[in-house]
């Protein structure tokens, strides 16, 4: 689903196809997957949807990597290949939604997985999943 969003321009605070920022990309991706998710910042996403306390086999869940500076989440992207640090997301330095290698220092990076119970509770029931 994220691949279909490639090329959407970067726009700080953007939350739709006219432009997306890093958190807007994750929110739109979750919406396209059928989850009723409010607009959130990168920090909100990490506080409410993603967890660092992953237990067991996380394949099949949604994984993100986040840049954390002084305890605050400054940037978030979808993890495509954790071992090779391949991500997709919207970033100002690239200018649009693109696939790339995670460019930030590993000591400032966290890997987190979706709290699927939170997302399942927010599954849309027969509502359209496209953004307006």
């Amino acid at each position: 689903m994220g691949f279909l969003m490639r090329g959407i321009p970067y726009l700080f605070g953007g939350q739709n196809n006219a432009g997306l920022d890093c958190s807007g990309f994750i929110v739109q991706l979750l919406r396209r997957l059928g989850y009723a998710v409010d607009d959130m910042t990168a920090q909100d996403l990490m506080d409410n949807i993603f967890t660092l306390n992953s237990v067991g086999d996380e394949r099949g869940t949604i994984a993100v990597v986040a840049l954390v500076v002084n305890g605050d989440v400054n940037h978030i992207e979808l993890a495509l290949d954790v071992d090779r640090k391949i991500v997709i997301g919207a970033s100002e330095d690239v200018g649009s939604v693109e696939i790339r290698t995670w460019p930030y220092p590993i000591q400032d990076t966290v890997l987190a997985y979706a709290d699927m119970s939170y997302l399942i509770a927010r599954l849309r029931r027969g509502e359209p999943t496209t953004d307006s």
Side-chain angles (χ1 to χ4, degrees), residues 21-106:
D21 65 4
C22 66
S23 59
F25 169 75
I26 300 295
V27 166
Q28 286 303 316
L29 177 67
L30 292 172
R31 288 176 180 163
R32 289 177 183 210
L33 291 171
Y35 301 108
V37 179
D38 294 330
D39 292 346
M40 295 186 184
T41 66
Q43 185 70 57
D44 293 337
L45 286 165
M46 290 298 290
D47 290 345
N48 294 293
I49 296 179
F50 296 97
T51 178
L52 303 177
N53 301 324
S54 304
V55 178
D57 185 0
E58 299 298 342
R59 287 177 293 183
T61 63
I62 301 166
V64 296
V65 288
L67 173 65
V68 179
V69 178
N70 297 324
D72 296 323
V73 177
N74 287 7
H75 186 69
I76 191 167
E77 294 191 34
L78 179 70
L80 297 178
D81 184 327
V82 172
D83 295 328
R84 294 183 6 208
K85 301 180 186 103
I86 306 297
V87 296
I88 185 170
S91 65
E92 186 174 18
D93 56 314
V94 175
S96 64
V97 174
E98 294 299 339
I99 298 170
R100 65 181 181 156
T101 302
W102 183 251
Y104 304 105
I106 199 69

